[in-house]
Amino acid sequence: MYLIMKKFLISSPMRVGSTIVGKICCKLFYRGDNRLFIDDNCMKDDKLDTDYIKNIINDENIPIFLKSHIIPPVKMSEIFNAGIDLPIINIKRNLKDAWISRFFYTRYHKTITDIGLPNDLLDEIPDMNHLSDSEFMKFLCRHSVGKTWAKEHLEFEKDDIVKTNINYLSIRYEDFLNDPHSLCFNLSNFLKTDFSYTYIDSIIEETKFSKLAHLEEVNRERYGNYKFFRSGKINTWNNYLDEDDYKELLNF
């Protein structure tokens, strides 16, 4: 049986667990986890295109799960102010761990030239690919690219403007890892579904990190050598960086 529901948007920084949370939300409505990234179309002349968002939430051919990495709370308020009835979930995560995870995603899921390093800098450091992960991270902490990642992440922490809106929910990645049942019931209440503890338990079992990582491993031909589901652990950043590196990262 399919529930009749409106679409929902997960708008959060990169590498904060939005893929797993999206899977959980879709399962709350007995749906597959097909999603639509709206980042390529939701901005027009550097402004949020609320007309585009209105159109897609009323299009039955569009998946229920909308996803973005470029609509921070200050722009979410534009959606609410336009009278658009769209539940929005913002996932927050410790900046240090999220930054490390984004580093691995960028280094091993894309080529060096994809991460925005200027050509003259690449010419200056031709052996960039041969730097260790820790050396490369320390380098990016001092570079504008790494600092931009940090700025983008922190924009999602500034949610005073929307946090009292009934269509806004803020959750933490760390809370999901520590107590997935409470988070799932929180999502269920927010999206106005009603499920038993047993059903929630089955959703958690299907979407737990170790299972998704295993499915990725057995489908290596599809995913390649890169691990999208990397560690699922908290406070791994100090394996690579120290506090001085982190202070330098925030010096933007």
Side-chain angles (χ1 to χ4, degrees):
M1 176 181 178
Y2 286 84
L3 298 178
I4 299 174
M5 66 156 293
K6 54 192 175 187
K7 295 177 175 60
F8 65 90
L9 167 66
I10 295 183
S11 188
S12 61
M14 291 184 64
R15 308 301 292 172
V16 297
S18 57
T19 296
I20 294 179
V21 173
K23 287 177 179 289
I24 291 171
C25 291
C26 289
K27 288 182 181 298
L28 289 171
F29 293 96
Y30 301 104
R31 300 294 180 98
D33 61 348
N34 290 338
R35 58 191 181 274
L36 174 67
F37 281 93
I38 65 174
D39 288 351
D40 289 340
N41 299 298
C42 68
M43 304 296 290
K44 181 185 293 184
D45 298 326
D46 294 326
K47 294 182 179 180
L48 187 65
D49 188 350
T50 54
D51 287 335
Y52 166 75
I53 294 176
K54 286 180 182 178
N55 290 333
I56 61 174
I57 66 174
N58 293 315
D59 188 339
E60 295 182 356
N61 296 315
I62 298 293
I64 63 172
F65 174 14
L66 309 177
K67 187 173 180 179
S68 172
H69 294 308
I70 63 171
I71 304 179
V74 67
K75 291 191 178 297
M76 294 175 194
S77 66
E78 296 179 26
I79 295 175
F80 299 143
N81 291 339
I84 300 174
D85 188 15
L86 177 65
I88 302 178
I89 300 168
N90 177 14
I91 307 169
K92 301 178 181 179
R93 183 183 183 185
N94 179 319
L95 168 62
K96 298 174 181 178
D97 284 336
W99 193 91
I100 294 294
S101 184
R102 183 164 179 177
F103 167 86
F104 278 106
Y105 174 81
T106 301
R107 184 169 200 188
Y108 295 107
H109 200 55
K110 299 183 178 182
T111 66
I112 289 294
T113 53
D114 283 335
I115 66 175
L117 296 177
N119 290 331
D120 57 346
L121 191 56
L122 292 173
D123 293 337
E124 182 180 337
I125 310 177
D127 61 343
M128 186 76 71
N129 279 318
H130 301 292
L131 294 178
S132 69
D133 288 331
S134 183
E135 289 171 332
F136 200 173
M137 286 180 194
K138 290 177 181 293
F139 167 79
L140 284 184
C141 281
R142 302 189 301 273
H143 193 271
S144 60
V145 171
K147 295 178 187 297
T148 296
W149 292 353
K151 287 181 67 175
E152 291 172 352
H153 183 99
L154 292 176
E155 285 299 308
F156 285 87
E157 297 284 341
K158 305 172 184 177
D159 64 348
D160 285 350
I161 194 171
V162 294
K163 66 181 181 182
T164 60
N165 194 292
I166 60 172
N167 267 348
Y168 175 76
L169 176 67
S170 172
I171 61 178
R172 296 209 69 88
Y173 176 77
E174 293 81 5
D175 292 340
F176 168 68
L177 294 182
N178 291 328
D179 188 0
H181 285 88
S182 292
L183 181 130
C184 286
F185 277 109
N186 197 9
L187 289 170
S188 180
N189 290 333
F190 176 66
L191 296 173
K192 297 180 173 58
T193 67
D194 184 17
F195 291 104
S196 67
Y197 188 94
T198 301
Y199 184 73
I200 294 292
D201 200 47
S202 69
I203 291 178
I204 293 172
E205 178 63 26
E206 290 178 29
T207 58
K208 65 183 182 181
F209 189 91
S210 59
K211 184 163 187 175
L212 294 175
H214 174 71
L215 290 174
E216 182 181 61
E217 183 65 32
V218 298
N219 288 281
R220 186 55 57 201
E221 289 186 5
R222 174 183 174 187
Y223 294 105
N225 292 324
Y226 173 75
K227 292 184 177 181
F228 183 84
F229 300 102
R230 194 176 62 85
S231 69
K233 297 179 181 178
I234 300 172
N235 291 328
T236 61
W237 70 273
N238 52 14
N239 295 329
Y240 305 96
L241 302 174
D242 55 34
E243 285 291 348
D244 288 338
D245 297 319
Y246 183 62
K247 290 178 182 177
E248 179 59 40
L249 174 65
L250 295 180
N251 185 24
F252 47 75

